[in-house]
Amino acid sequence: MLDRFFPALLALALGLASAPAMAQGTEVSFGGLKADTGLPVEVTAESLSVNQADGTAIFAGEVLVKQGEMRLQAGEVKVEYDATGKAIDRLHATGGVLMVNATDAAEAAEAVYTIASGEVVMMGGVLMTQGATAIKGDTLHINLKTGTGRMEGGVTTTFMPGGN
């Protein structure tokens, strides 16, 4: 498993030697968070409020969003529809957001998932775990289609040498 993360960890270790590189962010592989963004999105919650005027729906209370193997949990998720009002454009999750898929997990204060592009931006005290490896930062950008991402703002990491 470490061999999957080795290139990212090597880049991170080399980046530690240069403060400007760290200030710009760290590119990392999020293969475990790769997802099929064309699959149906299922949302469960304790309540739902719909606003026809602005084309939004708000799920509240133990919200769980499923898309294939990807799971996103939050206290509240605002669903925004596209201009036609027929397709979901993006999800804005707040209140202790947790996103998991396969071996990777990420948590933050809030997240915005743009469905068509497969882009997820997690903000506020982000913690990404990949097995024994943990990466912290202010903002995490993930492309679910490619399984790639970028952590920015005060990036720190902890990992176990030798795959232990």
Side-chain angles (χ1 to χ4, degrees), residues 12 22-28 30 97 105-110 121-129 133-142 149-158:
L12 181 60
M22 290 305 292
Q24 294 174 4
T26 301
E27 296 288 333
V28 287
F30 298 115
V97 178
E107 60 183 72
E110 66 181 297
V121 179
M122 300 185 79
M123 302 147 286
V126 181
L127 172 63
M128 173 79 187
T129 57
T133 301
I135 303 171
K136 296 179 184 179
D138 296 330
T139 306
L140 172 62
H141 301 265
I142 303 170
R150 179 174 180 80
M151 182 76 79
E152 299 174 329
V155 177
T156 61
T157 187
T158 304

Side-chain angles (χ1 to χ4, degrees), residues 82-120:
D82 66 6
T84 68
K86 296 179 182 177
I88 296 173
D89 184 34
R90 60 188 218 155
L91 304 175
H92 185 188
T94 56
V97 178
L98 173 64
M99 187 171 81
V100 296
N101 191 14
T103 60
D104 298 352
E107 60 183 72
E110 66 181 297
V112 176
Y113 174 23
T114 304
I115 304 290
S117 67
E119 297 286 332
V120 177

